[in-house]
Amino acid sequence: MTESSEIQQAVASYCRRNSLKNWHPLAALIDMDGVLYDSMPRHAQAWHRMMSEIGIQTDPDEFYLYEGMTGAATIDLLFERHLHRSATAEEVKQLYEKKSDYFRNFGARMPMPGAALMLRKLEDAGLKRVLVTGSAQGSLLTALEEDYPGAFLPGMRVTALDVTKGKPNPEPYLRGLEKAGVSPAEAVVIENAPLGVQAGHASGCFTVGITTGPIPAEKLREAGADIIFPSMQAFADNIETLLQGYDC
């Protein structure tokens, strides 16, 4: 099956599930880590190092499964699991600052191959672009305009600081829909992590899963991805087919 026919079948299935007569996306809601930046290896190592220092033993790869959660939620999850209590607000603040310092010191940021092409094609197609990230990592958020100039207009960002519930709750993507001024049936979510895919699916948007890390495609499918691409470059190469609009 070609990518074109897979896209057509995915859109047809989405239309049937949502009782749509046609589908034409007007906005893209875009995750950051693992989508715009190949940053998850650094995040995983930073989390692992910080947690090890306070006596909580983790596997670096497990943090790929927590991608999309807020930093506070990740810390609380591990405290409950290993220490059988919630972290205090002061502990969350201090530990997340330490994790962020480690992340910054682990090397230069790496834009994801294919991400710039994807953003350019979204802009050329006239779609509004909203960043929807569970991160509050200032070093990457500040770098976005340098690495992807003009990709996100002022006010078109949803970060961990803007929500009360992070992914997999749909709140971040519902906030993104509000900023774009569109309905769920008029937006595409672009994600690489199971929790993010779950949040996009729960928001009612057509959700694209992209395997840019060690999480297998089947996990994205189980989380609710409408279609899955093996890389950001593969998605960028086929995005015009998705954006052309369909009568269902």
Side-chain angles (χ1 to χ4, degrees):
M1 187 183 297
T2 66
E3 284 93 347
S4 178
S5 62
E6 289 177 351
I7 292 170
Q8 292 170 13
Q9 289 191 15
V11 172
S13 177
Y14 175 80
C15 287
R16 287 193 299 271
R17 191 170 71 246
N18 292 279
S19 301
L20 301 177
K21 294 183 178 179
N22 55 70
W23 185 73
H24 185 81
L26 302 177
L29 312 181
I30 307 165
D31 183 40
M32 181 174 71
D33 291 298
V35 171
L36 300 180
Y37 290 100
D38 189 10
S39 50
M40 277 308 299
R42 292 165 59 203
H43 279 299
Q45 289 298 326
W47 277 113
H48 175 68
R49 177 178 174 183
M50 182 272 287
M51 285 293 173
S52 296
E53 289 178 352
I54 61 171
I56 294 179
Q57 297 306 310
T58 61
D59 180 340
D61 280 354
E62 75 180 85
F63 291 99
Y64 287 87
L65 295 172
Y66 310 149
E67 183 184 350
M69 295 175 67
T70 64
T74 301
I75 292 168
D76 248 353
L77 172 73
L78 293 169
F79 265 54
E80 291 285 0
R81 180 183 298 165
H82 294 274
L83 304 180
H84 310 294
R85 67 174 179 86
S86 297
T88 67
E90 184 60 26
E91 285 172 325
V92 168
K93 181 176 182 294
Q94 291 179 354
L95 293 174
Y96 192 74
E97 286 178 353
K98 181 178 285 189
K99 177 264 171 183
S100 296
D101 286 341
Y102 290 156
F103 177 86
R104 283 191 294 271
N105 293 331
F106 275 159
R109 63 185 184 268
M110 295 177 60
M112 183 66 71
L117 177 60
M118 173 198 70
L119 290 168
R120 185 164 66 250
K121 289 185 175 183
L122 290 171
E123 183 176 6
D124 290 345
L127 270 70
K128 298 177 182 178
R129 283 113 28 229
V130 183
L131 181 77
V132 182
T133 175
S135 177
Q137 189 75 47
S139 56
L140 285 187
L141 290 168
T142 302
L144 273 169
E145 184 59 27
E146 179 180 341
D147 295 326
Y148 302 107
F152 300 99
L153 298 178
M156 300 296 269
R157 296 185 182 188
V158 178
T159 75
L161 304 178
D162 301 313
V163 298
T164 58
K165 296 179 180 178
K167 305 168 186 176
N169 191 282
E171 182 186 354
Y173 282 113
L174 295 176
R175 291 291 304 276
L177 290 170
E178 291 174 3
K179 287 182 176 290
V182 301
S183 71
E186 295 172 321
V188 177
V189 162
I190 302 169
E191 267 285 357
N192 73 302
L195 296 184
V197 168
Q198 189 176 336
H201 178 79
S203 75
C205 297
F206 184 95
T207 303
V208 175
I210 302 170
T211 54
T212 60
I215 304 301
E218 187 57 34
K219 291 292 185 182
L220 302 182
R221 198 178 314 281
E222 291 172 359
D226 290 289
I227 191 168
I228 300 169
F229 289 88
S231 68
M232 180 57 65
Q233 187 64 54
F235 176 52
D237 290 342
N238 290 278
I239 198 170
E240 291 95 342
T241 304
L242 180 64
L243 301 181
Q244 68 187 11
Y246 293 87
D247 292 326
C248 300

